[in-house]
Amino acid sequence: MADAFDSPGALLRALRGYIFGERRRTEVRDVAGLSAFLETRASHVAQTSLYGYLRTRSGTLWPELFADDAFMVSVNAAKWRMWLACLSDLSVYAGGLLRGRAGEDEAGAARAAIDGALALALERAGLPAEAGAGFAEAGAAVRARLAAADLAAVADDHSAFSESPAALVEHAPVVEGLKALDREIVENSVAFRWQEVRRELRRALDAGAVARSAAAEGAAQGADGAARATHPR
């Protein structure tokens, strides 16, 4: 996951960098590049959504809250759970876009590519101590959702992004009564953040190249396995 925003100033600097300095044109041409896209964009949406909501709800108390250790424990746990929900939604959407563009001949490679990209992102995240209890199980649920998804049926619209809006309401450290009042606005704000990510992936994704990279990786692993079986150490 991208570096955590552990202070209001760090969040604002990161947002300014993203808006004014870091939105260079991205190209997604292999499994590693697809995984990096999933990881970083899920992190961006997760953290800006969470911190934006907390800042709005806390008002002028926002800097003080970030100095409260107990509050930051809750924030960090919410950040990781929100990241998983964002990763889940984006993986399903990206898998559908990849499958639709790759075509029938590369359907298997497209499936292998998105599965591999998600696995890499989750592997890099590991089991962070600050994520709190249940992170491993939630990560397994992300894998299971993608595995069960019919990628050919995934629409190129907002429909895949069903978990991240609800996750923000569920995990944000805000009083339950206030979250109930905020639910519609908060969920809509998360859905809005995904629009630019979808546009960016449509521009960046070279589905044929990604599928070919997955096929090449699979062939290399198969050859390595055959070599090990023929010449055991």
Side-chain angles (χ1 to χ4, degrees), residues 14-180:
L15 289 176
R16 283 195 294 266
Y18 179 78
I19 294 170
F20 297 113
E22 297 178 2
R23 292 179 70 177
R24 296 184 293 271
R25 187 173 182 86
T26 301
E27 292 187 359
V28 177
R29 298 180 53 83
D30 55 24
V31 174
L34 179 58
S35 181
F37 187 94
L38 298 179
E39 181 179 357
T40 57
R41 280 27 172 215
S43 179
H44 175 73
V45 172
Q47 297 191 66
T48 55
S49 297
L50 175 63
Y51 284 78
Y53 179 33
L54 294 179
R55 184 179 186 184
T56 299
R57 256 300 164 202
S58 59
T60 58
L61 295 177
W62 192 46
E64 296 178 23
L65 288 174
F66 273 80
D68 185 305
D69 291 341
F71 180 73
M72 287 308 300
V73 169
S74 298
V75 170
N76 286 327
K79 173 190 66 183
W80 282 105
R81 295 301 288 269
M82 183 64 181
W83 178 72
L84 283 178
C86 289
L87 185 66
S88 177
D89 285 351
L90 185 54
S91 295
V92 172
Y93 172 78
L97 190 64
L98 178 63
R99 172 65 177 80
R101 291 185 176 183
E104 291 296 330
D105 293 343
E106 295 177 318
R111 165 57 78 174
I114 192 60
D115 287 346
L118 174 61
L120 284 174
L122 290 171
E123 181 180 345
R124 282 191 294 268
L127 294 174
E130 62 181 7
F135 183 80
E137 293 78 4
V142 174
R143 292 178 185 266
R145 179 190 177 195
L146 181 61
D150 179 2
L151 298 183
V154 176
D156 183 5
D157 59 18
H158 65 278
S159 57
F161 298 88
S162 58
E163 295 195 359
S164 51
L168 179 55
V169 177
E170 178 181 357
H171 297 293
V174 173
V175 175
E176 291 300 325
L178 295 178
K179 287 198 289 188

Side-chain angles (χ1 to χ4, degrees), residues 164-213:
S164 51
L168 179 55
V169 177
E170 178 181 357
H171 297 293
V174 173
V175 175
E176 291 300 325
L178 295 178
K179 287 198 289 188
L181 295 174
D182 297 338
R183 178 178 296 276
E184 182 177 0
I185 294 174
V186 169
E187 291 186 349
N188 287 339
S189 73
V190 178
F192 178 78
R193 293 178 192 275
W194 286 119
Q195 292 181 12
E196 176 57 28
V197 176
R198 295 202 304 273
R199 285 193 291 266
E200 186 181 10
L201 186 58
R202 291 184 194 115
R203 292 192 300 264
L205 181 64
D206 186 334
V210 172
R212 288 191 294 273
S213 79

